[in-house]
Amino acid sequence: MEETYLLNVEGVKKKILHGGQGELPKFQDGSKITFHFQTLKDDFERTVIDDSREAGIPMEIIVGKMFKLEIWETLLSSMRTGEVAEFWCDAIHTGMYALVSRGMRRIAEGRDPLEGQKHRCGMGNMFDYHSTGYDDLDELQRTPQPLIFIMELFRVEEPSAYKRDTWAMSKEEKLAAVPVLHSEGNRLVLRKEFGQAAAKYQEAVICLRNLQAKEKPWDDGWLKLESLVTPLVLNYCQCQLELGEYYEVLEHTTELLQKHNDNAKAYFKRAKAHAAVWNEREAREDFLRVAHLDPSMAAAVKKELKQLGERMRKKHVEDRKRYQGLFQPPRGP
């Protein structure tokens, strides 16, 4: 089909190359759009800038989540499933393409798309960084120009039809997801699947931390979220203890205790991690602090200190034997 359509958007023209099937999908907020795209210059050679098929992975965007190149959402929402269409877009819509492409290329290369960026808006970053690291994108950044996008729409999934990443959830969805993830983690712990359980607890913490970032630290809203974070972090640390990831436990418990220095359970888990990596003095200090903060844990602390003492004595004996053999003069023939 060679007929050109106007989308009632200034500076956009559409040409359907292959018709799609069925009715126009419902592009509601939170829907996930999966598609392939090709970006071309509007020159005689139709120079190819990017092609998602070369990476072998289709592109995905979430409707209503402020994708940097806003015009793409407009273009895709005019398509049916299975449709292939060519869009000509004036420079008023393509000024951010260099930055978007830079991020996509870095992801395809296995690099961090935000590497080197400051926490500023995209336009601010454009002025801060004179080079994107790619010559063709630097040219687009210097002289914004019309571009051609060829898109093939594969599917549109409603928000309830797929498991969304944390960043794509609304505030209400994140809050609703936390208790579900918490209970899933607890269920996996009972089955001794500690790696999977840790991933559930971590995902729940990320949901809450994202919400906390929008609150003023130590205000009521922030504290309420923090009260939900703390038990999840402790559960995560328990899983890491079971998996032998002791330095991971030291890092997270120390961070937790910097905010809540009266949390006996955090001291207890940190003490066990210290003991596991032979930090005897630090382990004893944390165990004694646990007994002081929570007398009901005194029996558990006594047991752990006894085990620590036995392990350290055994280690000292083994070390002594090893060093004696190391410095013993060689025997004659």
Side-chain angles (χ1 to χ4, degrees), residues 1-21 24-25 27 71-90 147-153:
M1 302 175 70
E2 293 298 324
E3 188 176 356
T4 300
Y5 300 88
L6 299 177
L7 298 183
N8 296 321
V9 178
E10 182 183 356
V12 176
K13 297 176 184 176
K14 174 182 179 180
K15 184 186 294 183
I16 297 177
L17 305 180
H18 177 77
Q21 303 91 37
L24 197 68
F27 295 89
I71 193 63
W72 271 16
E73 191 174 306
T74 302
L75 306 182
L76 289 162
S77 62
S78 74
M79 300 176 69
R80 290 177 169 79
T81 305
E83 181 179 324
V84 181
E86 177 179 308
F87 299 91
W88 178 91
C89 294
D90 194 14
L147 294 174
I148 297 168
F149 302 112
I150 299 177
M151 296 180 161
E152 180 179 2
L153 178 61

Side-chain angles (χ1 to χ4, degrees), residues 175-193:
L175 286 172
V178 168
V180 175
L181 291 166
H182 198 159
S183 64
E184 287 178 357
N186 293 347
R187 179 176 55 81
L188 289 163
V189 165
L190 292 174
R191 292 164 52 179
K192 298 188 181 303
E193 296 177 12

Side-chain angles (χ1 to χ4, degrees), residues 178-244:
V178 168
V180 175
L181 291 166
H182 198 159
S183 64
E184 287 178 357
N186 293 347
R187 179 176 55 81
L188 289 163
V189 165
L190 292 174
R191 292 164 52 179
K192 298 188 181 303
E193 296 177 12
F194 299 111
Q196 293 181 47
K200 296 294 183 183
Y201 295 137
Q202 187 178 43
E203 189 176 350
V205 169
I206 290 171
C207 283
L208 294 169
R209 291 296 191 208
N210 287 342
L211 294 174
Q212 262 190 323
K214 299 175 183 178
E215 301 283 346
K216 186 176 180 181
W218 305 105
D219 273 4
D220 289 344
W222 189 94
L223 288 170
K224 186 176 180 180
L225 293 167
E226 185 68 16
S227 69
L228 299 174
V229 168
T230 300
L232 288 163
V233 172
L234 291 173
N235 287 0
Y236 174 82
C237 288
Q238 183 60 43
C239 290
Q240 297 302 325
L241 281 174
E242 298 287 350
L243 295 168

Side-chain angles (χ1 to χ4, degrees), residues 102 106 111-117:
R102 174 183 181 268
R106 283 176 173 269
R111 300 162 64 191
D112 181 358
L114 300 178
E115 180 185 327
Q117 286 193 20

